[in-house]
Amino acid sequence: MKTSEIEKAIAAIENFIVQREKKLKSSNYTSYKNSIDGNKWTLTQMHIVSLIKNNPTRVNNAFLAKSLGISRPAVSKAIHTLIEKNMIIAEKKISNQKAIYYALTDSGHKLSIIHDKLHQTAKERYSKLLDQFSESELKVIIRFLDAWSGQIIQGGKDDE
């Protein structure tokens, strides 16, 4: 049962981070960037390559916007850079010549693997941290982080 609560807490932490990043971007704050292979990648771009890797036949702008909880223009901006840096390619399906879908290049696949490793490392750190708490404490942590994320979404201010 505790493993289930830790997974819920990890999901709440991830949601908190996503909401905080959105809030920081909307306030013209320069988002944190990871330097990999000499390039700087936003968390959004890293998540996009991971989503493409994990959903190779269905990733288009609508799918990405919904999966990431961001606007289509934000997706387009991230996609533009990924295409420009040869991480992904845009292609149309024979059955639907209107919709544009994305596929990873070899470089994009390598980037997605790096992202997944970074993500796994973070989950392991979160698990180690959260393992210190009882189930009831984890429920409080989850409730707190969910409430904080909700406050960020509604325009509340968070401490730096």
Side-chain angles (χ1 to χ4, degrees), residues 80-98:
H80 175 77
T81 301
L82 289 167
I83 290 172
E84 187 178 272
K85 299 285 186 179
N86 195 36
M87 294 293 134
I88 64 172
I89 56 171
E91 51 192 18
K92 294 181 181 181
K93 291 186 177 182
I94 295 172
S95 61
N96 182 354
Q97 289 293 306
K98 281 186 171 183

Side-chain angles (χ1 to χ4, degrees), residues 33-157:
K33 294 185 179 185
N34 298 300
S35 180
I36 297 171
D37 295 338
N39 290 302
K40 292 187 181 218
W41 305 105
T42 64
L43 291 175
T44 298
Q45 291 163 340
M46 299 281 282
H47 288 307
I48 286 172
V49 294
S50 184
L51 283 167
I52 294 170
K53 183 183 99 186
N54 294 327
N55 302 278
T57 61
R58 40 187 281 222
V59 178
N60 59 19
N61 281 19
F63 175 87
L64 291 169
K66 184 177 180 184
S67 296
L68 297 171
I70 61 175
S71 69
R72 287 187 186 197
V75 168
S76 294
K77 182 178 176 182
I79 287 291
H80 175 77
T81 301
L82 289 167
I83 290 172
E84 187 178 272
K85 299 285 186 179
N86 195 36
M87 294 293 134
I88 64 172
I89 56 171
E91 51 192 18
K92 294 181 181 181
K93 291 186 177 182
I94 295 172
S95 61
N96 182 354
Q97 289 293 306
K98 281 186 171 183
I100 297 173
Y101 292 85
Y102 303 106
L104 295 177
T105 63
D106 287 341
S107 297
H109 184 73
K110 289 176 187 173
L111 184 61
S112 74
I113 290 170
I114 291 167
H115 170 264
D116 292 346
K117 286 179 183 176
L118 291 171
H119 197 262
Q120 184 59 37
T121 299
K123 280 181 108 171
E124 288 168 4
R125 282 194 335 254
Y126 296 150
S127 290
K128 186 176 178 180
L129 171 68
L130 295 168
D131 199 37
Q132 302 172 60
F133 299 95
S134 68
E135 284 186 44
S136 62
E137 290 170 323
L138 288 171
K139 287 178 182 179
V140 171
I141 291 168
I142 294 165
R143 198 172 86 235
F144 168 77
L145 292 172
D146 285 345
W148 196 354
S149 294
Q151 191 176 44
I152 291 169
I153 291 168
Q154 295 174 359
K157 296 191 183 229

